[in-house]
Amino acid sequence: MTGTEFEQITDKFVEWLDTVGIEVSKNVKIADSRSDHQGRCMVCVEDVKEGDQLFSVPNEALLNVTTGSLGEVSSEIKEALVSKVEHWEGLILTILYEWKYQGEKSKWWPYLKVLPEEFDTLIYWEDQELENLKPSLVLERLGIEESKAMYERVGELMREFKVEDKIGEVSYEEFQRVASWIMAYSFDKDISGGDDEEEEEQEEQEEAEHGDETPNSIATDGSIKCMIAVADILNSDTNLVNANIIYDDSGLICCATKDIKAGEQVYNIYGNHPNAEILRRYGYVEWNGSKYDFGEVTLDNILNTLSEKYNTSREVLDKAVDILREDEKVQELWDYEDVVLDNYDCYADGEIIPEAASVIQVLYVLLQSPENVAQLDEGNLTRLLQRIVKKCQQLLESGRVTQSVHEIWQLVVNKRLQMYPESKADQLSEDNIKATFSKSKSEQRKLMAWCVLECERKALTNCLDGVTKQFKLIDDEKLLKNVLKRPAESEPAGNGKRKSRIVKRPKKRANNDDD
C-alpha cells in the first residue's frame, strides 16, 4: 500500500468515527508508525494528565452480533446469534457478512479498511520458521486443528442461515484473516450486570470446563465479543502501557493511567502475556522482553530428573502421577486444585508456581520410602501417597519444603535449559533488529523466535533459586521421619477436606480475548 493510500484510508476512518458517535480527544491523533513496524498508532499532540479521557465509544459503535447487519436479515438469525451461536463463530460470520456482502455499503466499511491484511501470528508461519521456536511450549498452542474445525462450523452456519449466496465462497485464507482480526483486537464486554466476584467465579468455572476457548453464547454467559474501532489503533506494550479501557452500561472510555507528554504514543495492554503468547496471538514481540515473561518446565522434566537421580523407573513415577491426579482423597487434600500439571510456569521475576514444589516434595518423599514402591499394589501405593500428600501439604501450607526440593528443582530447571539452543542474545541489538526488518519476512520471523527463546531462557535462569525465594528450607529427615514412621497399610483411608493456604500466582489472562 502506498503512503497516499494509507493516509486516505486513515482520513476516511477518522471522519467515520464521528458519524458513529465515537468521540476522540483533541489532545490525541491517529498517526502513521509504519517506520517503526507498528502500522497506525495514537499519539498525544498535547500533554495529557493522568485520568484524562482519550476517547469514548458508545455501545452502538461496538461491532458485534447485535449491531452487525446480519441479525437484520431475519428474527430467527438474530435470535440464534444471541442465544445459540458461539462467540467466535457468531462474530466471524457477522464480519464476513459486512466485509464480503455489504462491502462499501456497510456501516463498518471505513473501519474494516484500516484492519491489517497480513499477520505474523504463528498460525501463518511455515514449518521451517516454527522450528526456530523449539523448545518453546508455545508450539503446543498453535490451534491449527481447532481453526480448521471452526472454519467448517462457520460454513455450516452460512448454510443454516441461508446466506451463503450473499456472502459467497469463503476461502480458508479469508476466514483466517477475519479470525486473526478477532484474535488480535476483540474485547469481551460484560452485559449481564452481575458483580465482579460472581463474574470471576463464572469465568473460572468455564475455564475448568472448557479451557481457554469458552464455547458459550451471549445468553449463557452474559458477555459479548466486540470489535472496537478506535481501540484497535492503540499499540500494546507491557512496559510502556499508559492507558486503560473502562466499560460501563453505555459503552466504554479510554483514560490515561499516567501523564503522557506531547509526541508520546498511547499504549494499551492486550493482556498479561509473555512474549511467546504475544507472538502467537498478535504477531509481534517486545524486543526488550514482556513484563510478564515466563518459561516453562514440564512434568516430564521433573519425572526424568527424579528417575535419573534416584535410579527409579519412569513406570513407577507415572503410576504415582496417575494416582495423584485421579484419587479422590488426594484431591480433597489438595482442595481439588490441579497440582500435577503438564507444565509449570517460571516467571521472569524469579517466582515459580507453588504446585511445582508440591509435586516434587511428594514424589521425593515417595522415593525415600523404606518399602519397595515398585512392588506395592495399587491400593497400598494409593494409601502411602495419601499419607505423603497430607503431611507434605501441611508443610507447604506453613511455607516450608525440604532441602532436597530445592536441589531437585535446580536440576529440573537446568535440564530444561539444556533443551534450548545456543543463545542469540547478541543478535537482538537495536541496530540488528532495524536491519532485519529490511530483509525477508522469514528473517524477521527468525529474529522474533530468537527473542522469544531468549526471554524464556532468562526467566528459567532467574527461577533457579525459585524454591528458596518462596519457601523456607528444612532438613529432609525431619519430614521423612514424620511421614514414613508408619507403613502404608495402617494409614486410615479418610482424611477430610483441607483448605489450601498456598499463595497462588495470579493466572496469566488476557484483557481482550478468550482464545
Side-chain angles (χ1 to χ4, degrees):
M1 183 183 297
T2 66
T4 301
E5 289 175 316
F6 188 89
E7 292 170 1
Q8 289 174 344
I9 290 173
T10 301
D11 291 342
K12 290 180 179 179
F13 172 69
V14 171
E15 294 172 3
W16 173 82
L17 293 175
D18 187 57
T19 68
V20 294
I22 296 176
E23 297 181 0
V24 180
S25 168
K26 61 180 178 58
N27 294 326
V28 298
K29 70 173 183 179
I30 296 173
D32 183 350
S33 59
R34 286 178 295 170
S35 60
D36 294 324
H37 314 290
Q38 294 182 341
R40 295 175 179 83
C41 68
M42 181 173 287
V43 174
C44 291
V45 294
E46 300 287 347
D47 289 351
V48 168
K49 296 293 185 182
E50 178 181 350
D52 285 355
Q53 181 172 307
L54 304 176
F55 60 81
S56 65
V57 183
N59 283 329
E60 55 269 23
L62 305 176
L63 175 55
N64 54 54
V65 297
T66 67
T67 59
S69 56
L70 176 61
E72 299 172 1
V73 173
S74 71
S75 59
E76 291 79 11
I77 292 178
K78 185 173 184 178
E79 171 64 22
L81 289 171
V82 171
S83 62
K84 298 178 183 178
V85 179
E86 298 173 9
H87 288 295
W88 273 81
E89 285 90 332
L91 187 52
I92 288 173
L93 193 53
T94 295
I95 294 174
L96 284 171
Y97 191 81
E98 301 293 339
W99 176 39
K100 288 185 59 80
Y101 174 61
Q102 296 283 15
E104 294 184 11
K105 297 182 296 183
S106 171
K107 164 186 174 180
W108 309 97
W109 187 249
Y111 167 45
L112 297 177
K113 290 290 287 182
V114 300
L115 293 173
E117 297 179 3
E118 297 181 353
F119 289 88
D120 271 328
T121 49
L122 293 184
I123 205 164
Y124 288 98
W125 286 32
E126 301 293 337
D127 289 344
Q128 64 268 27
E129 294 170 338
L130 292 172
E131 285 287 318
N132 292 314
L133 280 164
K134 289 183 176 180
S136 175
L137 299 184
V138 72
L139 292 172
E140 299 178 0
R141 301 189 286 268
L142 297 183
I144 295 174
E145 293 306 315
E146 293 83 353
S147 174
K148 291 179 179 178
M150 188 180 293
Y151 174 57
E152 295 298 326
R153 292 198 298 272
V154 168
E156 291 170 1
L157 285 172
M158 288 172 56
R159 291 186 288 275
E160 179 184 338
F161 292 166
K162 295 181 174 56
V163 294
E164 69 270 34
D165 58 327
K166 295 181 178 180
I167 295 176
E169 181 180 356
V170 176
S171 68
Y172 184 63
E173 289 71 23
E174 290 173 326
F175 163 84
Q176 275 291 85
R177 183 194 293 193
V178 176
S180 296
W181 287 342
I182 295 173
M183 169 78 87
Y185 300 121
S186 68
F187 289 75
D188 290 337
K189 186 178 189 298
D190 175 63
I191 56 174
S192 66
D195 62 70
D196 292 341
E197 185 173 349
E198 289 178 351
E199 291 162 19
E200 183 175 350
E201 290 177 356
Q202 180 181 353
E203 287 174 354
E204 290 178 354
Q205 176 63 25
E206 289 165 354
E207 282 190 354
E209 294 175 355
H210 306 294
D212 285 340
E213 292 187 3
T214 306
N216 292 344
S217 65
I218 299 171
T220 55
D221 75 2
S223 67
I224 186 168
K225 186 170 287 296
C226 305
M227 298 289 288
I228 306 173
V230 71
D232 297 352
I233 300 299
L234 301 183
N235 286 314
S236 171
D237 192 294
T238 61
N239 296 289
L240 301 177
V241 56
N242 51 20
N244 185 41
I245 292 176
I246 304 166
Y247 299 94
D248 60 25
D249 291 341
S250 62
L252 62 88
I253 60 173
C254 178
C255 295
T257 57
K258 59 180 70 173
D259 293 350
I260 311 173
K261 294 186 179 298
E264 292 182 346
Q265 190 173 158
V266 178
Y267 287 101
N268 186 21
I269 183 172
Y270 293 157
N272 300 344
H273 298 308
N275 251 336
E277 276 298 294
I278 291 173
L279 181 57
R280 181 182 79 88
R281 294 167 180 259
Y282 313 116
Y284 71 95
V285 294
E286 296 183 12
W287 295 105
N288 293 321
S290 165
K291 182 178 179 181
Y292 304 101
D293 270 326
F294 62 84
E296 297 169 273
V297 298
T298 68
L299 180 61
D300 268 350
N301 293 147
I302 293 174
L303 298 182
N304 289 337
T305 300
L306 290 168
S307 177
E308 293 168 10
K309 182 174 176 61
Y310 297 105
N311 194 26
T312 303
S313 74
R314 271 295 302 265
E315 184 179 357
V316 171
L317 290 167
D318 290 339
K319 186 177 179 181
V321 163
D322 289 341
I323 293 172
L324 292 173
R325 279 177 159 162
E326 298 171 6
D327 184 69
E328 292 183 3
K329 295 299 181 183
V330 169
Q331 297 308 307
E332 288 178 358
L333 290 165
W334 273 335
D335 194 31
Y336 300 99
E337 295 285 355
D338 292 326
V339 174
V340 186
L341 307 173
D342 290 332
N343 312 307
Y344 295 91
D345 298 341
C346 302
Y347 297 96
D349 61 7
E351 287 194 21
I352 64 174
I353 61 173
E355 291 88 344
S358 182
V359 75
I360 291 174
Q361 184 72 84
V362 169
L363 292 175
Y364 162 73
V365 174
L366 175 68
L367 297 181
Q368 309 313 304
S369 172
E371 303 171 76
N372 187 338
V373 175
Q375 298 301 316
L376 289 178
D377 61 32
E378 185 172 344
N380 282 327
L381 180 58
T382 298
R383 284 189 287 274
L384 176 58
L385 281 168
Q386 288 171 353
R387 176 172 178 77
I388 291 173
V389 170
K390 178 179 179 180
K391 295 298 183 180
C392 291
Q393 183 71 1
Q394 291 171 349
L395 186 68
L396 268 82
E397 287 176 355
S398 69
R400 298 175 294 167
V401 295
T402 67
Q403 179 69 34
S404 286
V405 173
H406 168 56
E407 296 170 359
I408 293 167
W409 173 254
Q410 289 194 316
L411 292 173
V412 168
V413 175
N414 277 316
K415 181 179 287 291
R416 177 63 173 152
L417 282 167
Q418 289 168 9
M419 300 172 71
Y420 281 74
E422 181 182 353
S423 173
K424 302 288 186 180
D426 59 329
Q427 299 293 314
L428 299 174
S429 67
E430 185 175 347
D431 288 344
N432 192 49
I433 292 169
K434 288 182 178 179
T436 299
F437 270 86
S438 64
K439 299 179 182 178
S440 68
K441 180 69 70 174
S442 183
E443 287 299 311
Q444 295 171 26
R445 291 175 175 176
K446 181 189 293 184
L447 198 64
M448 289 191 286
W450 289 349
C451 180
V452 165
L453 296 188
E454 196 61 33
C455 290
E456 292 186 352
R457 192 197 322 273
K458 287 180 181 178
L460 287 164
T461 302
N462 291 344
C463 285
L464 277 166
D465 292 319
V467 170
T468 59
K469 289 180 180 179
Q470 293 172 242
F471 297 96
K472 179 181 178 181
L473 301 186
I474 67 168
D475 185 70
D476 293 294
E477 290 303 316
K478 186 174 182 180
L479 176 63
L480 293 177
K481 288 179 181 178
N482 187 18
V483 177
L484 304 175
K485 63 185 177 183
R486 289 188 294 168
E489 294 91 316
S490 63
E491 175 63 18
N495 288 298
K497 181 176 178 181
R498 296 178 58 86
K499 180 68 176 178
S500 172
R501 294 192 295 273
I502 296 176
V503 178
K504 298 174 69 65
R505 183 83 180 206
K507 294 180 181 178
K508 294 301 179 189
R509 297 190 54 158
N511 291 344
N512 64 331
D513 66 68
D514 61 359
D515 149 67

